[in-house]
Amino acid sequence: QVQLVESGGGLVQAGGSLRLSCAASGRTFSTYRMAWFRQAPGKERDFVALIRSGGSTNYADSVKGRFTISRDNAKNTVYLQMNSLKLEDTAVYYCAASPYGTLKYDYWGQGTQVTVSS
């Protein structure tokens, strides 16, 4: 069982930056594919970014060039650096983990609220 705990959310003005963190339990963190998703009010949960065990990354088109996902396997932590934030980035951000060899995300955090104001 893996537990994920997000932190770093908050209120920020448009154009500002935030860094989200997701701390994971377990000894096999380095083998997981980790991702961030977000869910705005009244909308479905959307993919934001992922990082594989080898370090390669993918991003949603809406955040490319503004967000950066990274991981520190020594700290069992994945990060999401968010720059040039826009009003439409307002959402609850969720961290998710996909064990090696699987395609689905089996483990989810509780979410952290990001609110971008004008």
Side-chain angles (χ1 to χ4, degrees):
Q1 188 74 10
V2 176
Q3 291 186 325
L4 304 175
V5 179
E6 300 102 332
S7 61
L11 175 65
V12 63
Q13 286 192 322
S17 298
L18 278 176
R19 188 176 82 155
L20 306 183
S21 299
C22 173
S25 64
R27 293 178 289 180
T28 56
F29 172 81
S30 63
T31 68
Y32 294 157
R33 182 174 72 247
M34 301 296 298
W36 289 94
F37 291 77
R38 66 186 181 186
Q39 187 168 19
K43 296 188 176 181
E44 293 186 351
R45 189 173 298 187
D46 290 331
F47 166 77
V48 175
L50 70 84
I51 185 165
R52 299 175 181 84
S53 57
S56 61
T57 59
N58 286 98
Y59 296 91
D61 287 343
S62 58
V63 307
K64 276 181 185 175
R66 300 188 299 122
F67 290 11
T68 302
I69 188 171
S70 62
R71 65 193 300 161
D72 185 337
N73 291 334
K75 295 183 178 179
N76 276 19
T77 301
V78 63
Y79 304 97
L80 186 67
Q81 178 66 44
M82 305 185 295
N83 299 329
S84 302
L85 283 161
K86 303 177 181 180
L87 297 179
E88 52 265 40
D89 294 320
T90 294
V92 177
Y93 283 71
Y94 297 91
C95 173
S98 175
Y100 181 80
T102 69
L103 294 177
K104 60 191 286 280
Y105 291 93
D106 290 334
Y107 306 104
W108 293 82
Q110 82 288 350
T112 185
Q113 176 71 47
V114 172
T115 303
V116 184
S117 65
S118 59

